Amino acid sequence: QVQLVESGGGSVQAGGSLRLSCAASGYTFSNRCMGWFRQAPGNRREGVALIDSIGTTTYADPVKARFTISADNAKDTLYLQMNRLKPEDTAMYYCAASANNWCSLNQYSMDYWGTGTLVTISS
């Protein structure tokens, strides 16, 4: 049974940084395609960043050059380093994983989801 557990959310001021973590269990991490998604109140869930098994990364335009996704195979843990945060980054952030070795920023490409961690950015 795949479990994804996020941590690291919180409240910071605009311009600050946060690092999200996602601990995976029951998932073949070395053959992954995983990513981070977010959902703000009243909005649909949107893809933020992806990383595949060879380290190829993909970012949504709003977070390019500010967010960095990475993975630690030894710890089966996914990370999202978020810098220069903006109030519009406020959302529930979800870790997600595909049952295949490919995925996209479309949420329907993912098969497994964590329960989310809340990020709140104040101006």
Side-chain angles (χ1 to χ4, degrees):
Q1 182 179 354
V2 175
Q3 284 194 315
L4 304 174
V5 180
E6 303 97 335
S7 60
S11 298
V12 298
Q13 289 191 324
S17 298
L18 282 173
R19 187 195 196 201
L20 306 183
S21 299
C22 171
S25 60
Y27 182 67
T28 308
F29 201 79
S30 59
N31 196 36
R32 67 179 174 273
C33 191
M34 299 182 72
W36 291 94
F37 290 72
R38 66 186 183 186
Q39 187 168 18
N43 289 2
R44 62 179 178 84
R45 190 171 296 187
E46 62 178 5
V48 174
L50 304 172
I51 187 167
D52 68 11
S53 58
I54 61 172
T56 302
T57 57
T58 303
Y59 296 94
D61 286 344
V63 307
K64 281 180 180 176
R66 298 190 298 123
F67 291 11
T68 302
I69 189 170
S70 62
D72 186 331
N73 287 348
K75 297 182 178 179
D76 286 355
T77 301
L78 186 71
Y79 301 99
L80 185 68
Q81 178 67 44
M82 305 186 295
N83 298 329
R84 292 183 282 136
L85 284 159
K86 303 176 181 180
E88 51 263 44
D89 294 318
T90 295
M92 185 71 80
Y93 282 72
Y94 299 90
C95 173
S98 171
N100 306 297
N101 61 359
W102 60 268
C103 57
S104 74
L105 291 173
N106 185 318
Q107 61 173 319
Y108 298 107
S109 72
M110 298 298 188
D111 300 286
Y112 310 107
W113 293 87
T115 57
T117 186
L118 183 62
V119 171
T120 304
I121 311 303
S122 58
S123 57

